[in-house]
Amino acid sequence: NRERFKVINEAYGILSDSGKRATYDESLRQSKGGTKDAVAIQEKDRRSAMLSFTQAKEAMRNGRFDKAALLFKAAIKYDPMNPAYHSWYGFCLGMLNTRLHEARDACLKAIEMEFYNADYHANLGFVYHQAGLTSTANECFEEALKWDPEHPVATKYYTGGKAKQAENQGNVGGLFSFLKRPKEA
């Protein structure tokens, strides 16, 4: 009886805590030895996530970033392991210029999951740009440009770079050019 009571209390602790419950549900879905029902649920969730993602991208094309953010959040709920859902959710919050801390965290999560994706770095840079953190945004845009030198978001919002550095060096170089002049005989 004592063991049974302990198991019931542990189960109650998991079920009553939404975070623990979500972790437990995800572990059931991802278990390799899962039942056919678990596999079917996982596949259904992936399809629901993909549908939400597709609709969110369409909403973005139509300028409905509020709707897109909700759809990306739904996609994350159904498939939290897809980094694209997190990154584009953060980007939409950035476009809405709202909940920028949440936007940043979503973009960072995507980068943790898939570091080499230029979109994810550019989306994070855009969020920092919206927050007015230009130098941090530029660092993200530089990283995006390393992976994709013609990335549209990174090239549009990047305010640093070689052109600016050359311009600045030209101005500074002119000030000290007398040091390089040969001495007159």
Side-chain angles (χ1 to χ4, degrees), residues 104-120:
R104 176 205 58 209
D105 292 346
C107 290
L108 284 170
K109 184 170 183 107
I111 290 170
E112 285 174 14
M113 296 166 91
E114 195 174 293
F115 182 78
Y116 53 84
N117 192 303
D119 286 340
Y120 304 165

Side-chain angles (χ1 to χ4, degrees), residues 8-22 24-25:
I8 291 170
N9 275 337
E10 286 176 12
Y12 177 77
I14 290 170
L15 294 174
S16 64
D17 182 307
S18 62
K20 289 180 183 176
R21 186 174 62 240
Y24 177 75
D25 289 344

Side-chain angles (χ1 to χ4, degrees), residues 36 41-42 75 81 88 98 117-118 120 132 134 142 144 149 156 178:
K36 289 181 181 179
I41 289 170
Q42 187 177 5
M81 302 310 292
W88 289 108
T98 183
N117 192 303
Y120 304 165
T134 306
E142 284 175 359
K156 179 175 181 177
F178 68 91

Side-chain angles (χ1 to χ4, degrees), residues 46-106:
R46 271 199 208 112
R47 283 194 308 270
S48 296
M50 185 51 76
L51 178 62
S52 292
F53 180 74
T54 302
Q55 291 173 344
K57 290 293 240 179
E58 183 62 30
M60 284 176 60
R61 281 190 285 280
N62 294 325
R64 292 289 316 273
F65 295 99
D66 53 338
K67 181 178 179 181
L70 292 173
L71 288 164
F72 283 126
K73 192 164 190 169
I76 291 168
K77 177 185 167 227
Y78 288 117
D79 186 3
M81 302 310 292
N82 189 318
Y85 303 162
H86 294 278
S87 183
W88 289 108
Y89 173 63
F91 179 82
C92 284
L93 292 179
M95 285 298 292
L96 296 169
N97 209 4
T98 183
R99 300 192 327 251
L100 294 178
H101 287 333
E102 185 178 345
R104 176 205 58 209
D105 292 346

Side-chain angles (χ1 to χ4, degrees), residues 4-5 19 24 38 43 45 76 80 107 114 121 129 147 172:
R4 183 179 281 168
F5 185 71
Y24 177 75
E43 187 55 38
D45 284 353
I76 291 168
C107 290
E114 195 174 293
H121 289 284
H129 168 78
W147 296 103
V172 173

